[in-house]
Amino acid sequence: MSKPRIWVTRRLSDATLERAARDYEVVINYEDRPGTAEEIIAASAVFDGIIPCHSEHFSSEVVAQFSDRLKIVANHSVGVDHCDLPALKSRGIVVTNTPDVLSDATAELAMLLMLGAARHAVAGDRIVRSGAWDSWSPAFMVGKQVTGARLGIIGMGRVGRAFAAKARGFDMELHYFNRSPLAEELTQGAVYHDTVESLLGVSDFLSLHCPATPETNGLMSAERFALMPAGAVFVNTARGALVDEAALIGALDSGQLSAAGLDCFQVEPGGNPAFSRFDNIFMLPHIGSATGQTRDAMGFRALDNLDAFFAGKAPGDQL
């Protein structure tokens, strides 16, 4: 019996590719560039399944041109804002993602961004690297202390809870907004707020961990940044679409925010060139889940979903 034919759209971890080649007839994009709309449409006619990343976009316009062969899109990501789920489901295509396995890696990066933004990591590195460090004073590079500060978390899913667990190590006072309150054993004392506005008022530090949806796009606006305590620090490791970037610049220019840590942007790759004039923005190129252990786990989770589907079972991460 022939093996299902699978397209792997990006250069995934070696362990993932070895397992995929063992169990499937696999075509791998070794050029490691995003698949185009034309390539995705063509793939629907010659592959039984696709393992894409968030760099491939399954819009309703693309899905409308699919052939009938493609049966499953097993995403190598937890976020699925690059997929039009109703369009895919209307064609009978199963969609899965990779939850759980990237929570700690992303939470670690959020902690790095929070600490780096609060303690002048960008400016300090530049001063030492350039040879400009030639003096010291008690007023030199004074930052914002994390320990004991109030932390607001928007989105108390897996990553939000992992971040909260790490923030407890800094004795932070935890507050969160979620679509609904969570059980005490999940939040371990974090204070629930039933509106974003209520949360913002107590957020000396604010970290986003919610998905990008039509309801959350532009979540952080000028009006909402203004509700935060003066000199607050803002962190985003979720999705760039959640933030009005012009409003973020305005909040930094006015001093309403003292710093920001960003791993995602409205335009990716590339980011926002206007941010580069700020020494108080600590930026990374969307690498929240980029550890070897996590990349293997994500790839294996995507393959687990394929294995279940082609064995006639419901994938564990079916959306």
Side-chain angles (χ1 to χ4, degrees), residues 66-294:
F66 277 6
S67 82
D68 293 329
R69 177 167 178 173
L70 183 67
K71 295 297 185 288
I72 181 170
V73 173
N75 285 292
H76 184 273
S77 65
V78 65
V80 291
D81 49 299
H82 59 291
C83 292
D84 189 312
L85 295 180
L88 287 162
K89 291 178 181 180
S90 73
R91 296 298 303 270
I93 296 170
V94 169
V95 182
T96 65
N97 66 342
T98 58
D100 299 320
V101 294
L102 50 71
S103 301
D104 281 321
T106 305
E108 286 176 1
L109 200 82
M111 184 60 67
L112 170 65
L113 287 169
M114 183 170 71
L115 292 168
R119 298 300 298 272
H120 304 299
V122 174
D125 181 81
R126 286 177 178 169
I127 288 170
V128 176
R129 224 176 261 278
S130 67
W133 183 29
D134 59 2
S135 64
W136 180 90
S137 81
F140 179 58
M141 299 203 75
V142 175
K144 188 176 182 70
Q145 187 155 312
V146 169
T147 301
R150 299 174 298 177
L151 170 63
I153 297 173
I154 297 181
M156 203 66 154
R158 297 174 182 89
V159 179
R161 294 196 300 273
F163 181 59
K166 290 165 176 51
R168 288 187 190 95
F170 288 88
D171 295 323
M172 301 189 83
E173 179 185 308
L174 301 180
H175 298 257
Y176 76 100
F177 168 80
N178 205 54
R179 285 177 295 181
S180 58
L182 301 182
E184 171 66 23
E185 60 266 24
L186 293 177
T187 61
Q188 299 179 36
V191 178
Y192 173 68
H193 293 256
D194 59 5
T195 66
V196 171
E197 288 72 17
S198 171
L199 177 74
L200 295 177
V202 297
S203 297
D204 301 313
F205 292 82
L206 179 71
S207 190
L208 302 187
H209 297 285
C210 54
T213 67
E215 293 73 32
T216 60
N217 286 346
L219 174 76
M220 292 307 299
S221 60
E223 293 76 15
R224 283 181 165 157
F225 281 123
L227 295 176
M228 297 178 68
V233 173
F234 173 71
V235 176
N236 185 14
T237 55
R239 286 291 189 264
L242 300 172
V243 181
D244 179 335
E245 293 184 343
L248 174 57
I249 288 171
L252 289 162
D253 274 332
S254 71
Q256 176 64 19
L257 294 178
S258 64
L262 307 174
D263 186 47
C264 45
F265 307 86
Q266 288 185 356
V267 176
E268 295 184 5
N272 188 335
F275 288 158
S276 55
R277 69 178 172 90
F278 291 92
D279 275 346
N280 57 342
I281 303 183
F282 184 12
M283 294 183 283
L284 294 170
H286 205 146
I287 55 172
S289 60
T291 70
Q293 178 180 335
T294 297

